[in-house]
Amino acid sequence: MGRPPGFDRREVLAAVEREFRKNGYDGTSLDDISAATGLGRGSLYAAFGDKRTLFLTALGDYCDQDEASGAAALAGPDETAMERLRAYFIDAVDRQLNDPEQLACMTSRFTVELAGRDRDATARLRQGFEAQRAALAGCLRAAQRNGDLDPAADPVTLATLLVVDFRGIGSLIGIGLDRAELVAVVDATLAGLPAPPPSAAAS
């Protein structure tokens, strides 16, 4: 299958991703995508296939980028693990607040809309969740090694809790909470992580 002249795959997928994030899967038509990308329906079919295939391609591209950036943001020395956790959450808040349409994370939206309904979408969303949880758990282990968190706490369970909080914070932007309120929620979330026992903190 050929591609139309001047086709920039990453640009097109970014436009497709925004349309799906804005209107949902059912609410997005190929005509909407054609208008957003400047490509005709025939060109879209030739390059990507049908609407579902195009959606799965855009979802995969979004997840690939999100997973890579998240892993990079959360990796680093033990001494700055808690600072990285906070920066990761604050960056997510700022990116959504600064988005012209304040669009929520694609994985959050479609976990609600399509999980359990579309087998391939569910599998990719689960893969994205596992990658995010693993990156967070790695950062939490670093914080435990540095004495910032209770070493007896299960980092995978804490990471799962942080994913839930991370996605919930994004939904609050949609109902109008401002940055100061959202940052306060981030700080309260991190402050609620289990602290090391006094003997461990003293050592």
Side-chain angles (χ1 to χ4, degrees):
M1 294 187 294
R3 294 178 181 175
F7 179 90
D8 185 315
R9 182 181 177 85
R10 177 53 60 80
E11 257 183 41
V12 169
L13 288 177
V16 171
E17 162 237 305
R18 288 192 67 81
E19 282 301 300
F20 280 120
R21 286 168 68 197
K22 181 166 57 176
N23 301 313
Y25 182 80
D26 292 332
T28 301
S29 69
L30 278 174
D31 287 336
D32 295 328
I33 295 169
S34 178
T37 61
L39 296 177
R41 292 169 63 104
S43 295
L44 289 168
Y45 274 115
F48 297 102
D50 61 11
K51 172 184 162 180
R52 178 175 177 274
T53 304
L54 180 53
F55 168 77
L56 291 172
T57 302
L59 176 64
D61 188 68
Y62 179 93
C63 290
D64 288 345
Q65 293 182 69
D66 192 54
E67 290 158 18
S69 64
L74 291 166
D78 295 356
E79 294 76 12
T80 57
M82 292 304 296
E83 288 90 339
R84 292 196 305 278
L85 279 173
R86 185 176 189 274
Y88 176 74
F89 280 95
I90 299 299
D91 178 66
V93 167
D94 286 339
R95 278 188 285 115
Q96 188 172 342
L97 284 173
N98 295 330
D99 184 278
E101 297 169 288
Q102 294 193 345
L103 297 181
C105 166
M106 193 174 190
T107 54
S108 298
R109 168 154 197 157
F110 289 105
T111 296
V112 174
E113 184 175 342
L114 291 180
R117 173 179 153 192
D118 184 292
R119 181 177 179 178
D120 292 329
T122 300
R124 189 62 187 87
L125 291 164
R126 178 60 185 255
Q127 181 183 337
F129 162 74
E130 296 288 358
Q132 184 183 31
R133 181 168 68 171
L136 286 165
C139 195
L140 290 163
R141 290 188 186 95
Q144 288 175 313
R145 289 193 297 268
N146 196 53
D148 297 316
L149 297 175
D150 185 351
D154 178 11
V156 176
T157 299
L158 294 181
T160 305
L161 176 64
L162 288 179
V163 173
V164 173
D165 290 337
F166 178 87
R167 297 184 179 189
I169 289 169
S171 70
L172 296 176
I173 294 174
I175 60 171
L177 269 68
D178 63 26
R179 187 179 189 278
E181 293 175 291
L182 295 164
V183 169
V185 172
V186 170
D187 288 336
T189 298
L190 296 179
L193 294 173
S199 58
S203 60

Short mmCIF file of all heavy atoms in Angstrom, two decimals, residues 48 68 78 81 100 118 125-126 168 174 181-182 184 188 199:
data_model
loop_
_atom_site.label_atom_id
_atom_site.label_comp_id
_atom_site.label_asym_id
_atom_site.label_seq_id
_atom_site.Cartn_x
_atom_site.Cartn_y
_atom_site.Cartn_z
N PHE A 48 -3.08 3.60 6.11
CA PHE A 48 -3.30 3.01 7.43
C PHE A 48 -4.35 1.91 7.47
O PHE A 48 -4.40 1.16 8.43
CB PHE A 48 -3.72 4.10 8.43
CG PHE A 48 -2.69 5.15 8.67
CD1 PHE A 48 -2.80 6.40 8.07
CD2 PHE A 48 -1.59 4.90 9.48
CE1 PHE A 48 -1.84 7.39 8.29
CE2 PHE A 48 -0.63 5.88 9.70
CZ PHE A 48 -0.75 7.12 9.10
N ALA A 68 8.31 5.93 26.70
CA ALA A 68 9.73 6.31 26.64
C ALA A 68 10.01 7.56 27.46
O ALA A 68 10.99 7.62 28.21
CB ALA A 68 10.14 6.53 25.18
N ASP A 78 19.31 7.53 43.29
CA ASP A 78 18.42 7.34 44.44
C ASP A 78 18.13 8.65 45.17
O ASP A 78 17.02 8.87 45.66
CB ASP A 78 19.04 6.34 45.42
CG ASP A 78 19.17 4.93 44.84
OD1 ASP A 78 18.70 4.71 43.70
OD2 ASP A 78 19.74 4.06 45.53
N ALA A 81 15.06 10.66 43.87
CA ALA A 81 13.89 9.88 43.43
C ALA A 81 12.58 10.60 43.74
O ALA A 81 11.69 10.66 42.88
CB ALA A 81 13.91 8.50 44.08
N PRO A 100 -4.00 23.43 24.18
CA PRO A 100 -5.05 24.37 23.75
C PRO A 100 -6.46 23.90 24.07
O PRO A 100 -7.35 24.72 24.32
CB PRO A 100 -4.83 24.47 22.24
CG PRO A 100 -3.40 24.10 22.02
CD PRO A 100 -3.07 23.09 23.09
N ASP A 118 -12.66 -3.72 23.10
CA ASP A 118 -11.83 -4.01 21.94
C ASP A 118 -10.59 -4.74 22.43
O ASP A 118 -9.80 -4.19 23.22
CB ASP A 118 -11.45 -2.71 21.22
CG ASP A 118 -10.65 -2.96 19.95
OD1 ASP A 118 -9.49 -3.42 20.06
OD2 ASP A 118 -11.17 -2.69 18.86
N LEU A 125 -3.44 -0.96 25.90
CA LEU A 125 -3.62 -0.14 27.10
C LEU A 125 -3.03 -0.83 28.33
O LEU A 125 -2.42 -0.17 29.17
CB LEU A 125 -5.12 0.16 27.31
CG LEU A 125 -5.74 1.09 26.27
CD1 LEU A 125 -7.26 1.02 26.33
CD2 LEU A 125 -5.27 2.54 26.47
N ARG A 126 -3.19 -2.14 28.41
CA ARG A 126 -2.60 -2.88 29.53
C ARG A 126 -1.08 -2.82 29.48
O ARG A 126 -0.41 -2.66 30.51
CB ARG A 126 -3.08 -4.34 29.51
CG ARG A 126 -2.49 -5.23 30.62
CD ARG A 126 -2.85 -4.70 32.00
NE ARG A 126 -2.20 -5.46 33.05
CZ ARG A 126 -2.83 -6.35 33.81
NH1 ARG A 126 -4.11 -6.61 33.61
NH2 ARG A 126 -2.18 -6.98 34.77
N GLY A 168 -6.53 10.13 37.81
CA GLY A 168 -7.60 10.89 38.43
C GLY A 168 -7.34 12.38 38.44
O GLY A 168 -8.25 13.19 38.22
N GLY A 174 -10.53 18.69 33.77
CA GLY A 174 -11.73 18.84 32.96
C GLY A 174 -12.88 19.51 33.68
O GLY A 174 -13.79 20.06 33.03
N GLU A 181 -4.50 24.14 42.96
CA GLU A 181 -5.24 23.03 43.57
C GLU A 181 -4.67 21.69 43.14
O GLU A 181 -4.54 20.77 43.96
CB GLU A 181 -6.71 23.12 43.16
CG GLU A 181 -7.46 24.31 43.73
CD GLU A 181 -8.88 24.39 43.18
OE1 GLU A 181 -9.02 24.66 41.97
OE2 GLU A 181 -9.82 24.18 43.97
N LEU A 182 -4.31 21.57 41.88
CA LEU A 182 -3.79 20.30 41.36
C LEU A 182 -2.41 19.98 41.94
O LEU A 182 -2.12 18.83 42.28
CB LEU A 182 -3.74 20.35 39.84
CG LEU A 182 -5.11 20.46 39.16
CD1 LEU A 182 -4.95 20.90 37.72
CD2 LEU A 182 -5.87 19.14 39.25
N ALA A 184 -1.38 20.96 44.82
CA ALA A 184 -1.64 20.58 46.21
C ALA A 184 -2.06 19.11 46.30
O ALA A 184 -1.66 18.39 47.23
CB ALA A 184 -2.71 21.48 46.82
N ALA A 188 -0.04 16.24 48.27
CA ALA A 188 -0.72 15.43 49.30
C ALA A 188 -0.61 13.94 48.97
O ALA A 188 -0.44 13.11 49.87
CB ALA A 188 -2.19 15.84 49.39
N SER A 199 13.35 4.29 63.25
CA SER A 199 14.69 3.70 63.36
C SER A 199 15.40 3.74 62.00
O SER A 199 16.59 4.02 61.93
CB SER A 199 14.59 2.25 63.85
OG SER A 199 13.78 1.48 62.98
#
